[in-house]
């Protein structure tokens, strides 16, 4: 872990909350015609973000919001196994929002899409808190909290919870 003096605060707790609230409203506006929405968070901070979005949406959305988790090995060069904690068949003809904390190259989100390729879905969208825009894979978020120009050597650290923040290290 990096020393606090080596971190640059990008978003404060209040700003993170504002971004999450705005993303929730954008998701609502984009999905006004659905009967149910499924948020699938990438294991780790992506799942925490999905949970926070679910809490926001429950207060404003007229439809149920289900939460799930997809597990992807972010360090692996290939993905032999990508697992979901919800039954794939239960997602049939549903609107899905795949959620992660940071979009860097798009590799993690590209692998996370694998379980959804075998079923008929209404639509799939992507929500990220921070988009670094270093796309190597054809992944563009539908909902972005913050666009951040970085170098490939930079690291973005997202902390979600009581002391939410986004740091550049």
């Amino acid at each position: 872990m990096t020393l606090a003096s080596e971190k640059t605060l990008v978003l404060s707790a209040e700003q993170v909350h504002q971004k999450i609230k705005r993303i929730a409203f954008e998701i609502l506006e984009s999905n006004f015609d659905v009967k149910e929405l499924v948020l699938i968070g990438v294991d780790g901070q992506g799942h925490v973000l999905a949970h926070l979005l679910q809490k926001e949406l429950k207060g404003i959305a007229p439809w149920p919001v289900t939460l799930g988790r997809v597990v992807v090995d972010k360090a692996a060069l290939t993905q032999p196994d990508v697992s979901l904690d919800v039954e794939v068949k239960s997602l049939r003809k549903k609107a899905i929002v795949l959620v992660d904390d940071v979009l860097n190259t798009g590799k993690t989100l590209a692998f996370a899409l694998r379980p959804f390729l075998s079923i008929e879905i209404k639509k799939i969208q992507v929500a990220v808190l921070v988009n670094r825009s270093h796309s190597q894979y054809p992944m563009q978020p539908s909902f972005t909290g913050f666009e951040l120009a970085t170098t490939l050597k930079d690291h973005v650290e997202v902390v979600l919870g009581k002391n939410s923040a986004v740091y550049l290290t």
Side-chain angles (χ1 to χ4, degrees):
M1 179 140 218
T2 312
L3 296 174
S5 62
E6 297 175 6
K7 295 181 183 179
T8 301
L9 181 66
V10 176
L11 295 173
S12 67
E14 181 181 342
Q15 291 169 317
V16 169
H17 177 71
Q18 288 172 340
K19 302 292 183 194
I20 292 170
K21 194 171 198 159
R22 183 174 54 78
I23 292 170
F25 274 101
E26 288 177 3
I27 290 171
L28 174 66
E29 290 171 359
S30 180
N31 292 283
F32 67 91
D33 60 340
V34 304
K35 294 179 181 159
E36 179 182 356
L37 184 78
V38 182
L39 297 173
I40 302 289
V42 175
D43 192 41
Q45 291 296 300
H47 187 259
V48 175
L49 178 58
H51 177 71
L52 294 170
L53 285 168
Q54 180 191 36
K55 284 173 56 176
E56 288 292 332
L57 283 164
K58 280 187 173 182
I60 60 173
W63 22 254
V65 181
T66 305
L67 182 64
R69 176 189 328 249
V70 62
V71 179
V72 176
D73 183 353
K74 295 181 180 188
L77 297 176
T78 62
Q79 288 293 315
D81 295 314
V82 175
S83 61
L84 275 175
D85 70 352
V86 294
E87 182 65 39
V88 174
K89 291 177 185 176
S90 71
L91 302 174
R92 189 170 182 271
K93 295 189 177 183
K94 301 256 173 79
I96 299 168
V97 179
L98 185 59
V99 181
D100 204 2
D101 58 342
V102 178
L103 173 58
N104 188 21
T105 64
K107 179 180 173 183
T108 298
L109 288 170
F111 284 136
L113 287 172
R114 181 183 284 171
F116 311 109
L117 300 176
S118 64
I119 59 168
E120 178 187 1
I121 56 172
K122 181 174 178 77
K123 66 178 164 180
I124 189 159
Q125 299 169 305
V126 173
V128 296
L129 183 59
V130 178
N131 183 4
R132 293 183 60 190
S133 302
H134 291 293
S135 298
Q136 294 175 344
Y137 291 76
M139 297 300 301
Q140 289 296 322
S142 311
F143 314 104
T144 301
F146 191 69
E147 294 276 343
L148 182 63
T150 62
T151 68
L152 288 173
K153 293 180 181 179
D154 290 330
H155 175 73
V156 174
E157 179 185 350
V158 174
V159 178
L160 296 171
K162 187 175 180 179
N163 298 315
S164 294
V166 175
Y167 299 98
L168 183 62
T169 59

